Amino acid sequence: MCVAGCEEAVRAALSRRGFFKGAAVAAAGFAATSVPAPAAERVTRSFTKVVDLTHTMSEDFPTFFGKPGIEFQRQFEFRKHGFNMFWWHVIEHAGTHLDAPLHFTASGLAADKLPVDQLVVPLAVIDVVAKAEEHPDYLVSRADLALWERNHGRLPAGCCVAMHSGWGELATSDPARFVGRDVGGTMHFPGFSPEAAEWLLHQREVAGLAVDSMSLDNGPSKEFRTHRLWLPAGRWGLENVANLDQVPPAGAALVVGAPKVKDATGGLARLIALV
Ligand SMILES: [Zn+2]
């Protein structure tokens, strides 16, 4: 809960210091890879609305492996002990979560090593709702990215490119369709094409990819080519993103509340958009 005047003060502070300064730190974080660092965009931004892009995590939230992504074991109970506390048993890659470079590399950056300057970034939202409705295995293409740039200009340096496929709301309204598992066991949901990921990697300066489905690669993928291109290049990913229908295609900022857990390959994240 914000005290009176708090929001105005935060907004003023953000405007004063220039929201996306810090290119030097961003560059240092990528020095270990052969890939040019996404330079942070030097612009001043303010915001009037805060949007939660995070699903509530529970035992029931659909997962890639079909097992509960989190289990709760009660350790202390208020009535008996005077306070409540649970022991969590949690999968790193379930619910709204981060994929750190280490997820698909032998020695890439772990979640705790990601520079914070790369976790507060401009948000570009690619709307493919109509296409995914028609083709559940839809892959965001280079043409989709070109269309976004025609409407909104060049993708901002250091941004996160998010796929809005409409899958986000299925996670709670229709979990079976969200997973899309057919009789043969193959899953069906949209993702990013490897070609689009490769183009973003080499032609634009993008810090992260985000999807409102379960994986950066689409459901039927067996080789996870988008993961294999993207994460080893020192970039991060976000999966199971919520509420992308509540943010504009351009102009918002994303705050990635990534877990700072030693050597984590990813983990539950709180995603907040400043609009
Ligand atoms: Zn993941």
Side-chain angles (χ1 to χ4, degrees):
M1 191 79 172
C2 210
V3 297
C6 161
E7 194 186 339
E8 289 77 6
V10 169
R11 215 179 299 153
L14 289 173
S15 296
R16 264 202 310 278
R17 71 183 170 88
F19 205 12
F20 294 115
K21 282 184 181 170
V25 180
F30 283 78
T33 73
S34 59
V35 179
E41 192 191 34
R42 288 183 179 275
V43 295
T44 299
R45 289 172 193 264
S46 59
F47 63 96
T48 54
K49 194 169 84 165
V50 179
V51 179
D52 195 345
L53 301 184
T54 322
H55 286 291
T56 296
M57 187 51 175
S58 74
E59 296 104 320
D60 301 323
F61 193 87
T63 66
F64 195 88
F65 300 103
K67 298 177 181 175
I70 190 167
E71 287 167 358
F72 300 91
Q73 195 183 332
R74 188 180 274 284
Q75 295 292 297
F76 295 98
E77 195 179 342
F78 185 79
R79 277 190 201 174
K80 220 192 270 181
H81 306 100
F83 62 99
N84 286 313
M85 197 179 96
F86 292 90
W87 185 272
W88 293 356
H89 185 70
V90 65
I91 298 176
E92 279 180 322
H93 295 267
T96 301
H97 72 275
L98 170 85
D99 278 12
L102 182 60
H103 187 32
F104 269 73
T105 49
S107 58
L109 285 180
D112 60 314
K113 299 294 193 308
L114 288 171
V116 286
D117 295 72
Q118 290 165 27
L119 299 176
V120 181
V121 296
L123 178 62
V125 181
I126 313 293
D127 184 337
V128 294
V129 171
K131 293 163 179 171
E133 170 102 47
E134 211 168 312
H135 304 290
D137 298 331
Y138 188 75
L139 288 167
V140 174
S141 65
R142 280 185 56 181
D144 293 322
L145 301 175
L147 179 62
W148 189 96
E149 289 201 331
R150 260 204 303 285
N151 292 330
H152 307 289
R154 189 181 170 96
L155 285 162
C159 73
C160 170
V161 177
M163 174 190 79
H164 174 216
S165 69
W167 247 244
E169 58 190 68
L170 297 177
T172 42
S173 69
D174 191 348
R177 187 154 166 245
F178 182 73
V179 175
R181 200 178 293 280
D182 65 24
V183 286
T186 300
M187 293 186 283
H188 298 279
F189 53 78
F192 272 92
S193 72
E195 293 72 24
E198 186 152 33
W199 184 81
L200 287 172
L201 206 53
H202 298 296
Q203 303 300 326
R204 294 293 182 270
E205 296 167 349
V206 176
L209 291 181
V211 291
D212 58 357
S213 62
M214 280 198 298
S215 173
L216 300 179
D217 288 276
N218 70 356
S221 171
K222 296 279 182 285
E223 297 179 347
F224 307 112
R225 280 175 59 210
T226 296
H227 274 88
R228 287 186 196 287
L229 278 164
W230 194 252
L231 300 177
R235 268 61 165 177
W236 47 257
L238 299 168
E239 293 166 335
N240 295 323
V241 179
N243 300 328
L244 283 173
D245 58 326
Q246 294 177 30
V247 291
L254 173 67
V255 180
V256 182
K260 196 168 181 180
V261 177
K262 191 176 181 305
D263 299 333
T265 72
L268 286 172
R270 190 73 186 252
L271 307 181
I272 297 169
L274 308 177
V275 180

